[in-house]
Amino acid sequence: MFIELVKSFILGIVQGITEWLPVSSTGHMLLVDEFLKLNFPKDFTDMFFVVIQFGSILAVCVLYFDKLNPFSRHKDKTQKRHTWMLWEKVVIACIPAGVVGILLDDLIHDLLYGPLVIAVALIAYGILFIILENSNPHPTTTSLEKLSFRKAFLIGVFQMLSLIPGTSRSGSTILGAVFLGCERSVAAEFSFFLAIPVMLGASGLKMLKYGLAYTSAEIGVMLVGTITAFVVSLVVIRFFMNYIRKHDFKVFGWYRIVLGILVLLYFGVLA
């Protein structure tokens, strides 16, 4: 049992780091699991990878509590109205991926969860990040208040691409938002907020499919992974927001390309 808790701790670290960076948390989790292999039934492992994302969601809620809270006593009527509008934009942006995810979740998992798909997605989106940054985009949306409902929905359409493992939910939404004219910090924050309903819904769906009868060992593993993901996410989100205020996304693009090639080599796809 101790070994499984250590594995869960490591996976929590991976989740907390990769959920918010545009490098694909699902892809990293699946690849790390190739080496660690949780000693639990496959159905539980699949559910575990999704449920520990709750720790990452909680980190966003803690860090951005005031910005996301429309009832804050520190806000005037205008600020509260902007907060409600932000939540409306988040809900609208979640519709495309939410509908497709519910309808095609099992099909996507059965057909696309493999090293080749992960590697191709890592490389393809890495190239897109580099191309986008080389085009020297000039943002027209410099705050969340200026983000239109139409643009929010289109970002949600880009988020559908994250259903493909290796794509990255944050990667697809940030890439889409910057392509649509959002400033990097606006793109990143909106991506964080989109994660709240999307990941809560995904976690709830997986738990319902698996059932609610857990052994003490399963509960312990989920708690360790979730708490670890929460703590690590707090650090990573702060780092990421400070980083992109001074740098572009090219380093993540190159990282994705290198990792994708290593995945192809490791799994013998290029052999």
Side-chain angles (χ1 to χ4, degrees), residues 140-198:
T140 55
T141 302
T142 55
S143 70
L144 289 168
E145 288 77 18
K146 294 180 180 179
L147 180 67
S148 68
F149 286 94
R150 175 181 175 275
K151 193 170 287 188
F153 178 78
L154 292 175
I155 293 172
V157 173
F158 275 95
Q159 185 174 229
M160 287 194 302
L161 299 171
S162 67
L163 296 171
I164 302 171
T167 298
S168 168
R169 191 204 57 77
S170 62
S172 60
T173 52
I174 290 173
L175 187 71
V178 172
F179 176 77
L180 292 168
C182 293
E183 195 175 69
R184 292 188 188 95
S185 60
V186 174
E189 284 194 349
F190 193 65
S191 174
F192 295 163
F193 302 156
L194 280 183
I196 297 172
V198 168

Side-chain angles (χ1 to χ4, degrees), residues 17-52:
I17 293 174
T18 59
E19 181 60 49
W20 308 114
L21 305 182
V23 295
S24 176
S25 62
T26 302
H28 279 77
M29 294 287 279
L30 290 171
L31 294 172
V32 171
D33 185 55
E34 283 291 322
F35 300 95
L36 296 183
K37 290 292 183 185
L38 283 172
N39 190 26
F40 290 94
K42 186 178 184 302
D43 287 346
F44 173 80
T45 301
D46 292 341
M47 185 269 298
F48 168 83
F49 285 159
V50 177
V51 170
I52 67 168

Side-chain angles (χ1 to χ4, degrees), residues 33-187:
D33 185 55
E34 283 291 322
F35 300 95
L36 296 183
K37 290 292 183 185
L38 283 172
N39 190 26
F40 290 94
K42 186 178 184 302
D43 287 346
F44 173 80
T45 301
D46 292 341
M47 185 269 298
F48 168 83
F49 285 159
V50 177
V51 170
I52 67 168
Q53 294 175 349
F54 179 76
S56 297
I57 302 169
L58 187 59
V60 173
C61 294
V62 169
L63 290 173
Y64 290 95
F65 180 77
D66 191 61
K67 181 173 283 192
L68 293 170
N69 180 16
F71 305 105
S72 173
R73 285 180 286 182
H74 304 296
K75 296 180 179 179
D76 57 30
K77 288 184 178 180
T78 300
Q79 291 172 319
K80 289 179 179 180
R81 180 166 56 84
H82 283 314
T83 304
W84 281 117
M85 289 177 66
L86 172 60
W87 276 110
E88 290 170 9
K89 293 169 188 175
V90 167
V91 170
I92 288 171
C94 286
I95 292 172
V99 172
V100 175
I102 291 172
L103 293 177
L104 301 180
D105 179 61
D106 291 334
L107 183 64
I108 291 170
H109 189 277
D110 292 340
L111 295 180
L112 300 180
Y113 274 60
L116 177 59
V117 173
I118 291 172
V120 170
L122 284 167
I123 294 170
Y125 281 86
I127 293 171
L128 287 175
F129 266 115
I130 294 170
I131 291 174
L132 181 64
E133 290 293 0
N134 284 338
S135 69
N136 193 27
H138 297 287
T140 55
T141 302
T142 55
S143 70
L144 289 168
E145 288 77 18
K146 294 180 180 179
L147 180 67
S148 68
F149 286 94
R150 175 181 175 275
K151 193 170 287 188
F153 178 78
L154 292 175
I155 293 172
V157 173
F158 275 95
Q159 185 174 229
M160 287 194 302
L161 299 171
S162 67
L163 296 171
I164 302 171
T167 298
S168 168
R169 191 204 57 77
S170 62
S172 60
T173 52
I174 290 173
L175 187 71
V178 172
F179 176 77
L180 292 168
C182 293
E183 195 175 69
R184 292 188 188 95
S185 60
V186 174

